[in-house]
Amino acid sequence: KKSDRNQPMDVSAGKQEGSLDDSTPTVLSGGVVIDQGTLHAEAVRAEIRARGGDIAQVVLTGSPATLSQQMDDGSRMNAVASKIDYNVTTDTVVFTGKVNIKQPRGTLSGERVVYNMTTGQVTSGGEGNGRVNMRIMPRNAAPAEKNKASGEAETD
Amino acid sequence: MNWRIPVGIVLLLGAVASGWALLTRMTTGPELRQEIGGRPDYLLNDFELVVLDATGKESFTLRAPRLARDPVLETMDVTTPRFLIPPRQDNADAWEVTSKTGWISADGDELRLRGDVNAVSDGRHSDKVNIDTQELNVFPDADRIDSPVQVTINRPGSILRGNGLDVNLATKQYTLQSEVESSYAR
């Protein structure tokens, strides 16, 4: 949700190293869980860049790292990737490495996906980033049919 | 009956008893001897103590209502100490550390603070930092503090809590070894 970015970000981890004046990134390890409003992320390791309590960037790595968030329309987005780079300042998330993003309207997978949390815009693939696979669910199909239809309507 | 014999026995017993007392006194460890002694060799009340490091620079200043020095171990026990640790270099901050009790090692290179420990930086060169815990060990000459128990670090915009703190006061690098919870708020 857009309002997520104005919520406190709560982070828990097994271990944390950093500097009291944020002059170096804070490194969290030993299993990291991050919650900010409806946003929930889990990873093996995380790096947080902050300045005076204002978080600028969170980089999560894992096998995979996961991130889920509720959209403004109430639906939920679930994403997995080897690396998730959340730029809080620009409200953009870059997923890289075995990316798979699931939303009610469809799924998207590839090697690199850029997701703008403000506009909801998704950009994927591009030079040297492999192919993109996308499956868009028919809008008016009833849920039962939707599942059946999803077996045939495969676009590549 | 010849009186010399009982007198001799009494004297012998006396000699044995005093010899035994001397022997046990010699083999007792410092703790026991100290307990036997029990009393510190000096007491300070309502004092200010400036401790210098090997180069003659101020290591820290201590203010407290009471300090007692152990004659054997040469350590000091302090009641409600207030330590003022000056900045080590130009762009570093000074720290003030208070607690219920304090213990200072013989050569002043280690302070053990116990009970409602609070360490606060003066925020002159960077964000003010406030550290709260029940146990804090301070190593002024090594510019380091550590704590084996839970510590809470409050900074503008964030609260950090965890166990096993280790901080280098000069570089401000810290590590929390386990159970870390932090909250960043705008």
Side-chain angles (χ1 to χ4, degrees):
Chain A
K1 276 185 170 177
K2 280 198 202 77
S3 60
D4 285 347
R5 60 174 303 189
N6 301 319
Q7 305 294 318
M9 178 182 285
D10 294 321
V11 183
S12 68
K15 180 177 180 179
Q16 179 163 324
E17 296 168 283
S19 66
L20 291 175
D21 59 3
D22 293 331
S23 55
T24 56
T26 300
V27 178
L28 300 100
S29 53
V32 182
V33 177
I34 296 180
D35 287 294
Q36 186 180 31
T38 69
L39 183 141
H40 176 81
E42 293 188 22
V44 170
R45 183 180 187 279
E47 271 193 28
I48 295 180
R49 285 175 176 74
R51 174 62 55 196
D54 280 343
I55 293 188
Q57 184 184 26
V58 180
V59 178
L60 303 164
T61 47
S63 41
T66 65
L67 183 144
S68 75
Q69 184 177 37
Q70 186 178 339
M71 303 293 100
D72 285 318
D73 62 11
S75 64
R76 189 124 196 126
M77 178 273 284
N78 292 287
V80 296
S82 306
K83 179 178 171 185
I84 301 176
D85 184 340
Y86 173 22
N87 188 317
V88 181
T89 321
T90 60
D91 240 2
T92 309
V93 185
V94 179
F95 301 92
T96 46
K98 303 192 189 75
V99 183
N100 188 286
I101 298 180
K102 285 195 174 64
Q103 288 176 297
R105 50 193 164 129
T107 62
L108 176 71
S109 56
E111 277 310 299
R112 186 174 189 274
V113 176
V114 180
Y115 169 61
N116 186 311
M117 296 169 119
T118 308
T119 63
Q121 186 184 356
V122 176
T123 318
S124 48
E127 231 192 302
N129 281 310
R131 299 183 59 74
V132 178
N133 299 300
M134 193 156 58
R135 169 178 294 164
I136 302 171
M137 308 314 287
R139 183 174 295 279
N140 42 29
E145 256 173 78
K146 191 180 277 188
N147 291 339
K148 194 166 130 273
S150 70
E152 293 120 24
E154 183 154 324
T155 59
D156 191 7
Chain B
M1 193 182 86
N2 183 339
W3 53 271
R4 282 198 178 79
I5 295 172
V7 168
I9 291 169
V10 166
L11 288 176
L12 175 65
L13 285 178
V16 167
S18 54
W20 178 257
L22 254 176
L23 194 67
T24 49
R25 259 180 78 76
M26 267 163 42
T27 53
T28 51
E31 297 77 22
L32 198 54
R33 201 161 43 241
Q34 181 197 334
E35 248 143 46
I36 291 169
R39 283 167 8 97
D41 55 358
Y42 66 72
L43 279 174
L44 291 178
N45 289 311
D46 298 320
F47 68 91
E48 173 174 296
L49 172 70
V50 180
V51 176
L52 307 180
D53 62 18
T55 65
K57 240 173 92 186
E58 181 190 344
S59 183
F60 60 85
T61 294
L62 165 58
R63 293 183 189 138
R66 185 179 189 276
L67 176 144
R69 183 175 178 277
D70 179 301
V72 177
L73 303 175
E74 297 175 6
T75 58
M76 294 181 263
D77 289 292
V78 191
T79 308
T80 59
R82 189 152 153 254
F83 292 93
L84 305 171
I85 303 175
R88 265 291 170 256
Q89 65 238 26
D90 298 342
N91 65 346
D93 286 345
W95 287 78
E96 179 173 332
V97 188
T98 55
S99 65
K100 278 188 179 160
T101 65
W103 172 92
I104 303 175
S105 62
D107 39 25
D109 63 351
E110 180 185 356
L111 328 178
R112 291 181 194 156
L113 307 174
R114 299 296 182 261
D116 301 340
V117 185
N118 174 260
V120 58
S121 70
D122 64 5
R124 198 165 299 164
H125 293 284
S126 51
D127 288 340
K128 197 170 177 131
V129 179
N130 210 308
I131 301 175
D132 290 294
T133 181
Q134 288 306 312
E135 288 183 28
L136 194 68
N137 305 318
V138 183
F139 306 90
D141 298 340
D143 253 339
R144 206 169 61 74
I145 61 177
D146 70 29
S147 172
V149 299
Q150 186 182 74
V151 172
T152 303
I153 301 177
N154 269 284
R155 295 179 299 168
S158 71
I159 301 172
L160 175 56
R161 193 168 292 116
N163 292 356
L165 174 73
D166 196 317
V167 182
N168 180 318
L169 293 175
T171 63
K172 297 198 194 76
Q173 289 296 316
Y174 71 85
T175 301
L176 276 166
Q177 294 295 347
S178 66
E179 291 168 62
V180 184
E181 306 272 347
S182 49
S183 184
Y184 294 83
R186 304 214 144 255

